[in-house]
């Protein structure tokens, strides 16, 4: 990849993605990135203070690519909250399935950051929890969900569906019946969330 003049952060991140895909997170180095760009590693360090900072930035950008799709789904008030909650949980699983299938090296880089409790991982989870809480808050507002604390309920729902969103279960995400399993969990959760008045109006 030819270097641009002047070198910018986005160019470095794009090159870093390709290096991670080629070598994997354990072997990729800043020197590899610099060589691909035709610059010195010092030039890369002018934009990113360390290898860790570079890895965090590229992983954050990679994660954020699907953020808008999920956020739009979470905020779509034309869809009833119960149906939206089910659709959003399925969408989160679909995004994670695609990432591990299509970009295993970058997924592995994310796993390393998550294991180290990087802010990239914690911010990603916080963002998902915020979207989930917004759906639940809409359900509480229209009377379809019983909850006095949307954020707390969102955490419970997220933990209850950990098999379909937590890295520890990544090996199971490609199982043929995983979508059906999630649907069963969604039905149970929605049954518990729905208020008596809305119980007859299934999502």
């Amino acid at each position: 990849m030819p270097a641009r003049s002047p070198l910018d952060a986005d160019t470095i991140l794009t090159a870093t993605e390709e290096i991670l895909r080629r070598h994997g997170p354990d072997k990729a180095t800043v020197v590899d990135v610099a060589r691909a760009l035709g610059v010195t590693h010092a030039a890369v360090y002018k934009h990113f203070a360390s290898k860790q900072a570079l890895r965090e930035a590229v992983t954050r950008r990679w994660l954020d690519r699907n953020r808008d799709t999920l956020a739009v789904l979470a905020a779509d008030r034309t869809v009833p909250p119960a149906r939206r909650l089910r659709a959003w949980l399925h969408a989160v699983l679909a995004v994670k399935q695609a990432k591990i299938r299509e970009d295993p090296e970058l997924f592995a880089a994310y796993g390393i950051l998550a294991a180290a409790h990087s802010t990239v991982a914690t911010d990603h989870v916080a963002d998902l929890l915020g979207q989930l809480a917004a759906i639940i808050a809409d359900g509480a507002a229209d009377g379809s969900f019983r909850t006095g604390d949307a954020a707390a309920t969102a955490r419970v729902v997220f933990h209850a569906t950990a098999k379909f969103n937590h890295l520890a279960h990544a090996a199971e995400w490609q199982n043929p019946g995983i979508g059906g399993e999630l649907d069963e969990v969604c039905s149970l959760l929605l049954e518990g969330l729905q208020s008596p008045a809305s119980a007859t109006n299934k999502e």
Side-chain angles (χ1 to χ4, degrees), residues 4 6-13 37 39-50 53-54 57:
R4 295 180 184 176
L7 186 66
D8 57 72
D10 192 61
T11 300
I12 294 171
L13 292 177
L37 289 166
V39 300
T40 66
H41 65 280
V44 176
Y45 282 129
K46 287 181 180 179
H47 293 270
F48 301 96
S50 65
L54 178 56

Side-chain angles (χ1 to χ4, degrees), residues 117-133:
H117 304 290
S118 163
T119 57
V120 173
T122 55
D123 288 349
H124 174 61
V125 171
D127 185 47
L128 292 178
L129 283 170
Q131 294 181 26
L132 184 52

Side-chain angles (χ1 to χ4, degrees), residues 53 58 100 112 131 170:
V58 75
I100 196 171
I112 291 170
Q131 294 181 26

Side-chain angles (χ1 to χ4, degrees), residues 5-185:
S5 184
L7 186 66
D8 57 72
D10 192 61
T11 300
I12 294 171
L13 292 177
T14 298
T16 303
E17 279 195 25
E18 292 309 311
I19 293 299
L20 283 168
R21 291 187 181 104
R22 191 180 311 160
H23 300 299
D26 293 328
K27 295 182 179 179
T29 68
V30 175
V31 172
D32 292 326
V33 174
R35 186 180 297 117
L37 289 166
V39 300
T40 66
H41 65 280
V44 176
Y45 282 129
K46 287 181 180 179
H47 293 270
F48 301 96
S50 65
K51 178 181 178 180
Q52 178 74 2
L54 178 56
R55 178 173 289 180
E56 288 185 341
V58 75
T59 305
R60 190 182 298 276
R61 188 177 77 155
W62 179 73
L63 288 169
D64 284 350
R65 287 199 184 118
N66 300 101
R67 184 193 179 281
D68 289 346
T69 299
L70 294 171
V72 167
L73 180 58
D76 186 1
R77 290 181 173 171
T78 65
V79 179
R83 193 186 310 161
R84 202 187 327 159
L85 179 59
R86 187 189 294 271
W88 185 86
L89 289 168
H90 274 281
V92 170
L93 173 61
V95 164
K96 290 179 179 288
Q97 286 173 319
K99 283 188 175 297
I100 196 171
R101 182 176 62 247
E102 298 167 9
D103 247 340
E105 294 83 8
L106 282 160
F107 192 89
Y110 171 56
I112 291 170
L113 293 178
H117 304 290
S118 163
T119 57
V120 173
T122 55
D123 288 349
H124 174 61
V125 171
D127 185 47
L128 292 178
L129 283 170
Q131 294 181 26
L132 184 52
I135 298 172
I136 292 170
D138 284 347
D142 73 7
S144 57
F145 290 163
R146 293 177 296 173
T147 178
D149 187 336
T153 301
R155 288 192 295 273
V156 171
V157 171
F158 198 69
H159 293 320
T161 55
K163 178 176 180 178
F164 313 99
N165 61 57
H166 195 283
L167 288 169
H169 299 279
E172 301 172 68
W173 294 342
Q174 304 304 329
N175 290 348
I178 194 74
E181 291 179 30
L182 174 56
D183 218 41
E184 290 175 350
V185 173

